[in-house]
Amino acid sequence: MFFVITALAAVIVTIAWYVNAPKDTYRLSLLGFIFWGATLMWLVDHVMAYLMEGGEFFEVTPDAALLGANVVLLGLVVWLIVLLVTDPKGVFRRLS
């Protein structure tokens, strides 16, 4: 389930980035790279586990859903920190 949640977040951010392209004021491209990187990592993990251990490809449990939500939340926190540090609209520069 965490793979599906992360992939869904990556698709949504990619659509938002594409709608606003080429202007990338809020650095949605970075957020997209974060989510696509996590999605690729989960995909490789799922494929390797499926080939080596067998069983279900998608884990549908509350713990897996919670892990997916935490990954999306952590990606958003990292993106927000980068956004605040780089200050693309110059809000903090105008305050000082």
Side-chain angles (χ1 to χ4, degrees):
M1 192 68 174
F2 46 88
F3 171 69
V4 174
I5 291 172
T6 309
L8 185 63
V11 168
I12 290 170
V13 168
T14 301
I15 291 171
W17 168 80
Y18 188 79
V19 167
N20 295 316
K23 189 177 173 186
D24 193 20
T25 305
Y26 298 108
R27 303 188 60 131
L28 289 175
S29 59
L30 174 68
L31 188 59
F33 280 125
I34 290 171
F35 288 151
W36 281 115
T39 302
L40 184 62
M41 180 187 70
W42 295 132
L43 177 65
V44 170
D45 181 58
H46 276 66
V47 169
M48 292 304 294
Y50 183 75
L51 293 176
M52 296 180 80
E53 300 169 5
E56 297 177 10
F57 189 76
F58 293 110
E59 183 180 348
V60 183
T61 63
D63 288 340
L66 186 62
L67 177 61
N70 282 330
V71 167
V72 170
L73 184 64
L74 183 63
L76 288 171
V77 167
V78 169
W79 171 71
L80 185 61
I81 290 170
V82 170
L83 196 64
L84 290 175
V85 168
T86 57
D87 191 19
K89 293 184 84 175
V91 174
F92 295 122
R93 275 180 259 140
R94 278 186 251 145
L95 291 176
S96 59

